[in-house]
Amino acid sequence: DGDWLEPHKTWNGGLDNAARMIYKDSFRAGISLSPFRVSEKSKLFKNHIDWLIHDNNNTIIIEDTVNGEQFFALDITHPEVQKYIQKVFHTLYKMGFIFYETQHMAYGFKDSSQTKRKVEGKSSVQCFREICSIIRTEIGPGSLWMMDETPYSPVIGFADIVEINKGRHGKWNSEQLQQFVRETWYTHYFNNIYWQNSPGKISLSDENGLTETEKHSIRLWTAILGGAVGTNDNLTKWDRTQLNEFRMLEPSKQQKNAYLPFWPDENPIKVAVRYYKDRRAWGLLLFNDKNHSVLQTFELFDLIEKEKAFVFSWNKNKVQFGELTQL
C-alpha cells in the first residue's frame, strides 16, 4: 500500500498490460486499491514521511498493525499528496481501468483538532470530500466506483457502490454472520437511493464452514435485495452448477430494490419481496437467520398487497400450492 504505480514481479508486463489482456478477452478491467493507506514497507513511507498524518505532538499516527506490519494514513490536505493521488487515478484510467474498488476509506478520518495536517482549519468530512472530488474527476463519470470501509454520508454523490459488510461469514450462529444480517437489513434504505449496497462478497466454494443450504440461503438473501453482487472465488474452479447459480444471482441491468414489508421489525424472520413487472409476478424470500425452526402464518395481502395469488415454491423442482390467501 502506497506504491500503487510501482511494477510488481507478479504482474507480467505491468498493470497496463493486464488491462489490455482483460479487454482482449471481452471483459472490463477493474482494480482494487487502498488510496489513503500506506505501509511501513513502501517506498512512499521511506521517501515521504511528511505526507502522513501526525498527531499534535508531531508523531505519526499508526492506523493499524497487521501481522506486525504497521499502516499509516496519508494527509489528504497535503498538495503533493493530492497531486500524487490525482496521478495514480489518472494513470489507471489511461491504462483502461473503469471499475475501482477503493478499500480502507476511513483511514485518516479523525477529529481534526487531534491531528496535524498540512492544511489546517478543515474538518475530516471536508478533506474527504475534496479528495473524493479529485478522484472522481480523474476516473470520469462513466467509471464505476465502489468504496469499502468508508463513512457513509460523506460519500453521497461520489460512490456508485458501497460495501456495507465484508461478507466473510463464520458458522451460522457466529457473530460475523449475525452482523451481516443486521447490516443488510438496517441499511437497505440506502440501496439504489444513495448508491448500490454491496452486502459483501458471496462464496460458492466450501471455504467458510457453512452447509450448502446455509450458503444458498445467504446467496439468495444477498441477491434479492437488489444491490451489487460480487465474489472473491476463483471463477476458473467453478463447475457448471456453481456458474449457473452465480448467473442466477446476477442483478438485472435495471436497478431494482426488494421491498421489506416488516422492516425494521426483526422478528421472527426476515421477509423480502421483489416484483417482476415483465412476468406480472412476485418473488418472495422467507429468510430464517435464527438457530431454530420458525412457524408463522402470513397474510398474502401483507406481503404483496393482493388478497390472493397463485403460489408455488421456486427450487429445482417446483411445488405448486395453488391459489392462496395465506402462507
Side-chain angles (χ1 to χ4, degrees), residues 243-261:
L243 184 59
N244 287 340
E245 181 168 12
F246 193 72
R247 288 298 187 194
M248 185 269 290
L249 300 175
E250 183 180 0
S252 60
K253 292 182 179 180
Q254 182 180 3
Q255 296 177 3
K256 189 174 181 62
N257 264 13
Y259 167 55
L260 309 181

Side-chain angles (χ1 to χ4, degrees), residues 87-110:
K87 177 184 176 182
V88 167
F89 284 93
H90 179 81
T91 303
L92 293 173
Y93 181 75
K94 288 295 184 182
M95 288 178 178
F97 292 99
I98 62 170
F99 172 74
Y100 300 86
E101 181 180 12
T102 54
Q103 303 185 53
H104 303 103
M105 294 296 285
Y107 263 52
F109 207 90
K110 301 182 181 302

Side-chain angles (χ1 to χ4, degrees), residues 19-38:
R20 285 195 297 270
M21 292 174 63
I22 292 169
Y23 273 99
K24 186 179 179 181
D25 289 337
S26 301
F27 292 98
R28 296 177 181 178
I31 191 167
S32 176
L33 69 159
S34 301
F36 310 148
R37 190 183 196 222
V38 177

Side-chain angles (χ1 to χ4, degrees), residues 38-40 42-55 58-62 70 72-75 78 80-81 116-118:
V38 177
S39 166
E40 63 178 340
S42 66
K43 292 181 181 179
L44 188 150
F45 177 79
K46 295 180 175 65
N47 297 331
H48 298 287
I49 203 165
D50 59 310
W51 286 10
L52 306 177
I53 294 179
H54 293 61
D55 63 21
N58 209 31
T59 301
I60 306 171
I61 298 175
I62 301 172
Q70 292 181 335
F72 309 88
L74 284 173
D75 175 4
H78 198 302
E80 294 303 315
V81 169
K116 186 177 181 181
R117 301 175 187 260
K118 185 69 173 179

Side-chain angles (χ1 to χ4, degrees), residues 63-209:
E63 286 280 341
D64 198 9
T65 302
V66 181
N67 298 325
E69 182 178 357
Q70 292 181 335
F71 293 90
F72 309 88
L74 284 173
D75 175 4
I76 55 178
T77 71
H78 198 302
E80 294 303 315
V81 169
Q82 293 181 356
K83 288 180 182 178
Y84 179 60
I85 291 179
Q86 185 177 29
K87 177 184 176 182
V88 167
F89 284 93
H90 179 81
T91 303
L92 293 173
Y93 181 75
K94 288 295 184 182
M95 288 178 178
F97 292 99
I98 62 170
F99 172 74
Y100 300 86
E101 181 180 12
T102 54
Q103 303 185 53
H104 303 103
M105 294 296 285
Y107 263 52
F109 207 90
K110 301 182 181 302
D111 183 347
S112 295
S113 66
Q114 304 300 315
T115 60
K116 186 177 181 181
R117 301 175 187 260
K118 185 69 173 179
V119 177
E120 303 290 349
K122 296 182 178 180
S123 69
S124 287
V125 173
Q126 287 176 298
C127 300
F128 184 86
R129 286 189 63 84
E130 284 178 7
I131 200 67
C132 284
S133 180
I134 290 173
I135 294 172
R136 175 51 84 179
T137 298
E138 292 307 319
I139 65 176
S143 293
L144 199 65
W145 188 0
M146 175 174 168
M147 299 191 194
D148 303 349
E149 300 163 73
T150 184
Y152 284 155
S153 58
V155 305
I156 295 175
F158 295 113
D160 299 299
I161 303 171
V162 171
E163 187 172 72
I164 58 172
N165 186 78
K166 293 306 294 179
R168 285 296 180 188
H169 316 302
K171 294 185 178 180
W172 189 255
N173 59 354
S174 68
E175 174 57 29
Q176 297 99 311
L177 190 134
Q178 293 304 312
Q179 180 180 345
F180 156 77
V181 174
R182 287 194 299 269
E183 290 288 342
T184 54
W185 182 251
Y186 284 113
T187 64
H188 186 62
Y189 66 92
F190 296 158
N191 193 39
N192 295 321
I193 305 296
Y194 298 145
W195 51 68
Q196 274 193 295
N197 283 353
S198 171
K201 311 296 191 300
I202 63 172
S203 175
L204 276 70
S205 67
D206 298 322
E207 63 181 2
N208 53 14

Side-chain angles (χ1 to χ4, degrees), residues 197-316:
N197 283 353
S198 171
K201 311 296 191 300
I202 63 172
S203 175
L204 276 70
S205 67
D206 298 322
E207 63 181 2
N208 53 14
L210 297 172
T211 68
E212 194 55 42
T213 299
E214 290 166 345
K215 286 192 290 185
H216 186 64
S217 299
I218 292 172
R219 295 167 200 156
L220 290 177
W221 176 251
T222 299
I224 198 171
L225 293 176
V229 175
T231 182
N232 284 331
D233 286 359
N234 185 341
L235 276 63
T236 64
K237 295 184 178 180
W238 282 352
D239 58 27
R240 177 57 58 182
T241 300
Q242 291 169 315
L243 184 59
N244 287 340
E245 181 168 12
F246 193 72
R247 288 298 187 194
M248 185 269 290
L249 300 175
E250 183 180 0
S252 60
K253 292 182 179 180
Q254 182 180 3
Q255 296 177 3
K256 189 174 181 62
N257 264 13
Y259 167 55
L260 309 181
F262 304 112
W263 189 93
D265 185 9
E266 286 196 84
N267 292 310
I269 59 175
K270 307 294 186 297
V271 179
V273 182
R274 287 275 293 274
Y275 180 63
Y276 299 91
K277 185 176 180 180
D278 57 331
R279 300 184 182 184
R280 300 177 64 189
W282 291 264
L284 170 67
L285 181 64
L286 307 175
F287 179 57
N288 181 11
D289 58 317
K290 305 296 188 295
N291 297 319
H292 53 82
S293 298
V294 174
L295 179 63
Q296 184 179 4
T297 299
F298 293 98
E299 297 295 329
L300 211 65
F301 187 83
D302 292 335
L303 302 175
I304 63 172
E305 296 185 343
K306 297 287 183 181
E307 293 291 350
K308 58 184 177 179
F310 187 86
V311 180
F312 63 91
S313 69
W314 189 67
N315 287 305
K316 293 181 180 178

